[in-house]
Amino acid sequence: MHGEVEVGARVTLAEVAKEAGVSLPTVSKVLNGRSDVSSLTRARVERLLEFHGYRRRTSGPPRSPLVELVLHELDSVWAMELVRGVENVTKANRATVVLTRSGTRHAPAPGWIEGVLRRRPLGVVLVFSSLPAEVKHRLGSRGIPFVIVDPAGDPDPDVPSVGSANWAGGLAATRHLTDHGHERVAIITGPEDMLCSLARLDGYRSAMTMAGLTLDPRLVRFGDFQVRGGFEHAMDLLAGPRRPTAVFAGSDLQALGVLEAARLRGLSVPEDLSVVGYDDVPPAQWSSPPLTTVHQPLRHMAEEATRMLFRPDDPRGAAQRMELATHLVVRQSTARRRQRGVATETVGADA
């Protein structure tokens, strides 16, 4: 039994064990995140600990000098930008990053929480749109701070998070195209069950309405933020006689798929088709042509989320929500719409 824990002044751990109908070692296992306790027993003990005001003494075993970054994927340039952002801040605070791949884009896998309670990191950065109530409770009861990096949607109000201005990004991308004469503008946004996809789509619709253009539902597609998804939708969009003259892709990866589809359809970018991406990941400036895109500050978002972990007593409160600005980066994949008998003029290039 570890002596590093205490309950409120009115009750001891032995009394909690008696009240829960379990042994003292079982209470210790719950406190230390051990997996060899049934879910019902764990829930009963944790409810009692919370009711009696459980706190760990500061003289207990030190936390590992680790910050855990949890993502559902690690094999994309998008994820690597987040890793670099977390690493920048942990290095400045003499801590180390632990990478964990778990779950889906919505939430980590159920078994993840057991491991993190055993590792006892300084804090956790999660790249998900929400957290199950049990996960929030168990992290909070162990005093492990957590923050969501949330390019995917709008997390619960009691969850500290860092996001970006997705609606404004969708508006800026589409206005760039309509301001240069494009009337048939297609959008390949992200998955339909992600709020960031819907926010970018709403920005697109607002820009089209502001330009006095009719919204054609055939030009609205829900992709998967991956190259193949962008490619497959673009091959279909560009096949008909009334093809779009411009495409706003909801991610740079999808935009790369659009560029390849245009090539196979015999279209030149930007002379025949203008393309705008989203994210501004490093490969965007090296595509052919260099990609006009919306800069989403992924690295900065991860940095700000990690800084929150190192200032847990921030007076703004535990449920702080930070939203960072997006902006358009103009390169060479967009041009004014070609008029019959008039040469196309490239819109501009980023230095």
Side-chain angles (χ1 to χ4, degrees), residues 5 9 63 93-94 98 103 133 184 198 213 231 240 243 250 257-258 270 274 306 308:
V5 294
R63 291 184 187 168
N93 286 274
R94 299 185 178 182
V98 173
R184 287 190 60 75
L198 300 178
L213 299 173
F231 172 78
R243 66 170 180 81
V258 175
S274 287
T306 310
M308 287 186 189

Side-chain angles (χ1 to χ4, degrees), residues 7 11-28 41 44-45 48-49 52:
V7 189
V11 69
T12 66
L13 286 179
E15 290 170 326
V16 169
K18 182 178 179 180
E19 189 175 348
V22 299
S23 67
L24 200 55
T26 297
V27 175
S28 180
T41 298
R44 186 164 66 251
V45 171
L48 288 169
L49 290 171
H52 290 298

Side-chain angles (χ1 to χ4, degrees), residues 168-193:
L171 180 76
T174 310
R175 286 195 66 177
H176 174 72
L177 296 169
T178 60
D179 284 351
H180 289 86
H182 293 280
E183 298 177 356
R184 287 190 60 75
V185 180
I187 179 173
I188 307 173
T189 189
E192 197 167 1
D193 62 350

Side-chain angles (χ1 to χ4, degrees), residues 104-329:
T104 68
R105 60 179 176 262
H106 297 292
W112 165 77
I113 187 65
E114 305 294 345
V116 76
L117 293 180
R118 287 193 298 272
R119 289 186 287 274
R120 286 184 51 76
L122 296 173
V124 183
V125 176
L126 300 116
V127 187
F128 299 99
S129 55
S130 63
L131 279 183
E134 181 189 6
V135 172
K136 291 187 288 187
H137 167 70
R138 295 181 69 182
L139 289 172
S141 69
R142 299 304 187 278
I144 299 176
F146 59 92
V147 181
I148 283 183
V149 174
D150 173 45
D154 187 16
D156 295 335
D158 61 341
V159 175
S161 62
V162 179
S164 67
N166 286 293
W167 180 86
L171 180 76
T174 310
R175 286 195 66 177
H176 174 72
L177 296 169
T178 60
D179 284 351
H180 289 86
H182 293 280
E183 298 177 356
R184 287 190 60 75
V185 180
I187 179 173
I188 307 173
T189 189
E192 197 167 1
D193 62 350
M194 295 181 71
L195 290 180
C196 66
S197 305
L198 300 178
R200 293 169 197 177
L201 176 59
D202 284 344
Y204 158 86
R205 287 173 171 154
S206 296
M208 294 290 283
T209 300
M210 290 167 63
L213 299 173
T214 301
L215 293 171
D216 185 346
R218 293 171 297 180
L219 299 183
V220 176
R221 305 297 177 95
F222 289 95
D224 58 3
F225 288 145
Q226 303 301 316
V227 175
R228 177 162 292 279
F231 172 78
E232 291 174 350
H233 282 295
M235 286 294 286
D236 184 51
L237 286 165
L238 300 177
R242 281 179 48 77
R243 66 170 180 81
T245 63
V247 176
F248 165 37
S251 73
D252 290 341
L253 294 179
Q254 287 187 155
L256 295 178
V258 175
L259 293 180
E260 177 61 11
R263 186 186 70 81
L264 292 180
R265 292 294 187 198
L267 301 175
S268 177
V269 176
E271 290 79 11
D272 302 316
L273 180 73
S274 287
V275 180
V276 178
Y278 202 104
D279 287 331
D280 194 24
V281 293
Q285 61 185 308
W286 301 110
S287 65
S288 182
L291 188 65
T292 294
T293 185
V294 175
H295 178 81
Q296 179 173 215
L298 293 169
R299 192 177 303 193
H300 189 196
M301 289 161 65
E303 289 172 345
E304 289 297 338
T306 310
R307 288 189 184 103
M308 287 186 189
L309 300 178
F310 289 99
R311 52 174 190 255
D313 299 324
D314 193 306
R316 288 172 288 188
Q320 178 184 351
R321 167 73 178 179
M322 182 181 296
E323 185 169 278
L324 303 182
T326 55
H327 67 271
L328 186 71
V329 178

